[in-house]
Amino acid sequence: MSDALDATPYDALLLLSFGGPEGPDDVVPFLENVTRGRGIPKERLKEVGQHYFLFGGVSPINDQNRALLDALRKDFADHGLDLPIYWGNRNWAPYLTDTLREMVADGRRRILVLATSAYASYSGCRQYRENLADSLAALAAEGLELPKIDKIRHYFNHEGFVEPMTEGVLKSLADLPEGVRDGAHIAFSTHSIPTASADTSGPVEDHGEGGAYVEQHLEVAQLIADAVRERTGIDHPWQLVYQSRSGAPHIPWLEPDICDHLEERHAAGAPAVVIAPIGFVSDHMEVLYDLDTEAKAKAEELGLPMRRSATVGADPRFAAAIRDLILERASVERGEEVTPCAQGALGASHNLCPIGCCPARAPRPAAAGVDSPYV
């Protein structure tokens, strides 16, 4: 790419994440933010909050985002990329609207957004875009000049996302007892979502059973499994599994659940399992509770040796991938030809979410897409 470290027209990067409580008093207010509009009683939220109370009422996600911010700033500085980085959350401080207000006050007018979700889905992409539109509407009501906002494309198959997870699986396999290592199965885990949401994930042409959400996860799982085979000479059996289901029991969600899968693998005679949480950018609460607590307890109950591999977190290779994606998108915006970095058969994802991509249950404005009211 010409002018490889030129991020123009962008003048800032916004890290956009989910947010999480940072103390026991934050848990219920945080959950009220997450579930706003659903009419869930406070007593029920206190029950749900037990997952957080087990860890002192603190979600690790905010500290993990701080670590990622540090990694990005170091990478940018080391490579001469002059691009300020801000951070805003959907559900807890620092809140997205407050951060965008700060960015406008600082004179930022072309903002590129990095969401901490690598795959296509309503909750992993469009909902973030709806939150951006809500915040822009709030700033417009205050009479502020609105910035133009774009979103970094889905990065599930970028080598800087895939390679750290591949290394994590290799380390987890090496940590298993020698007698069960070669026969270990790999469970590639991600967040379960309603099947109706999965079926309509991604652009309209990808809609169907599982949609882009399942297709993209299967692509990453295959990439990692292939790399493990190439580096070890062993073809480990694997399956895509799901975790963290919530909602009404009569609504179909993606299956199998990770704990059910462990039982099935044990019954089938698998000597060991490595769980690889490929659906998550960092080791946040769903990883710590659903995998390191519940799935670990299930494996111990079964007497099944189990290891959980690492997410990418603040790995320098992931930070470098984000830099690469920023420069790629900036080149596109400047009208230059660029060869996107993408492994596997699916290729690089779209830069602008098309109409009908990951539709909401009820139509709402969404920024950073073809149908954005803010251009």
Side-chain angles (χ1 to χ4, degrees):
M1 281 184 281
S2 62
D3 298 320
L5 297 182
D6 182 6
T8 56
Y10 298 109
D11 54 20
L13 176 70
L14 168 61
L15 177 66
L16 177 55
S17 194
F18 192 81
E22 302 205 72
D25 293 341
D26 296 344
V27 173
V28 172
F30 162 74
L31 292 173
E32 288 175 332
N33 287 342
V34 174
T35 61
R36 182 174 287 116
R38 301 183 202 172
I40 299 177
K42 183 169 288 189
E43 291 307 310
R44 174 57 182 153
L45 294 180
K46 289 179 180 177
E47 293 175 19
V48 174
Q50 291 306 313
H51 293 185
Y52 292 95
F53 293 129
L54 287 174
F55 297 89
V58 178
S59 168
I61 192 169
N62 282 343
D63 277 345
Q64 289 162 5
N65 280 323
R66 292 182 184 103
L68 178 56
L69 288 165
D70 288 344
L72 289 169
R73 287 171 178 140
K74 181 179 187 306
D75 179 271
F76 290 8
D78 288 347
H79 292 86
L81 177 59
D82 183 16
L83 189 69
I85 309 174
Y86 296 75
W87 172 32
N89 289 324
R90 284 168 47 179
N91 300 299
W92 202 248
Y95 287 103
L96 172 59
T97 302
D98 295 336
T99 300
L100 281 177
R101 188 181 295 111
E102 176 190 357
M103 296 178 82
V104 169
D106 289 347
R108 311 305 177 192
R109 295 295 179 265
R110 288 297 304 270
I111 298 170
L112 191 56
V113 173
L114 165 64
T116 53
S117 175
Y119 303 87
S121 71
Y122 172 74
S123 58
C125 182
R126 185 175 178 89
Q127 192 170 16
Y128 282 104
R129 294 174 51 225
E130 290 175 351
N131 296 144
L132 284 165
D134 290 344
S135 293
L136 289 171
L139 297 188
E142 297 171 12
L144 298 177
E145 181 181 353
L146 299 187
K148 185 179 186 305
I149 293 180
D150 292 321
K151 179 177 173 290
I152 288 176
R153 66 174 172 86
H154 303 305
Y155 45 83
F156 63 93
N157 55 359
H158 193 290
E159 63 182 359
F161 185 68
V162 175
E163 179 57 29
M165 293 189 294
T166 300
E167 185 176 282
V169 170
L170 290 167
K171 287 181 178 179
S172 292
L173 287 167
D175 191 49
L176 284 168
E178 187 174 355
V180 301
R181 184 182 305 148
D182 290 354
H185 289 229
I186 306 173
F188 293 104
S189 187
T190 190
H191 207 300
S192 184
I193 61 175
T195 56
S197 180
D199 293 347
T200 56
S201 58
V204 172
E205 59 267 25
D206 289 338
H207 292 181
E209 187 175 357
Y213 185 74
V214 171
E215 182 181 47
Q216 291 171 0
H217 280 87
L218 288 172
E219 176 92 322
V220 173
Q222 188 68 64
L223 286 168
I224 295 173
D226 288 347
V228 169
R229 183 185 65 252
E230 291 169 4
R231 299 180 203 185
T232 65
I234 299 168
D235 193 6
H236 291 272
W238 63 268
Q239 186 171 341
L240 180 63
V241 302
Y242 302 93
Q243 61 177 89
S244 312
R245 179 193 164 125
S246 61
H250 68 279
I251 297 176
W253 284 53
L254 293 174
E255 296 178 336
D257 176 77
I258 178 59
C259 290
D260 293 340
H261 178 71
L262 292 176
E263 289 185 341
E264 188 275 331
R265 286 293 84 206
H266 175 67
V273 172
V274 167
I275 301 176
I278 61 171
F280 307 93
V281 170
S282 64
D283 290 4
H284 53 58
M285 185 56 69
E286 276 129 336
V287 175
L288 292 187
Y289 185 81
D290 297 333
L291 298 183
D292 294 354
T293 305
E294 284 194 328
K296 179 181 178 182
K298 174 58 70 174
E300 290 174 348
E301 172 193 320
L302 297 169
L304 179 66
M306 185 271 280
R307 298 292 185 272
R308 196 270 291 175
S309 65
T311 53
V312 297
D315 190 288
R317 289 165 292 187
F318 182 48
I322 300 308
R323 168 171 44 86
D324 179 61
L325 289 163
I326 292 168
L327 297 174
E328 173 195 302
R329 183 59 182 275
S331 294
V332 170
E333 291 297 306
R334 295 194 300 266
E336 300 168 4
E337 290 190 14
V338 60
T339 301
C341 179
Q343 296 181 310
L346 295 181
S349 185
H350 48 264
N351 281 319
L352 278 175
C353 291
I355 294 173
C357 190
C358 303
R361 290 176 290 274
R364 286 181 57 192
V370 172
D371 57 352
S372 171
Y374 302 102
V375 294

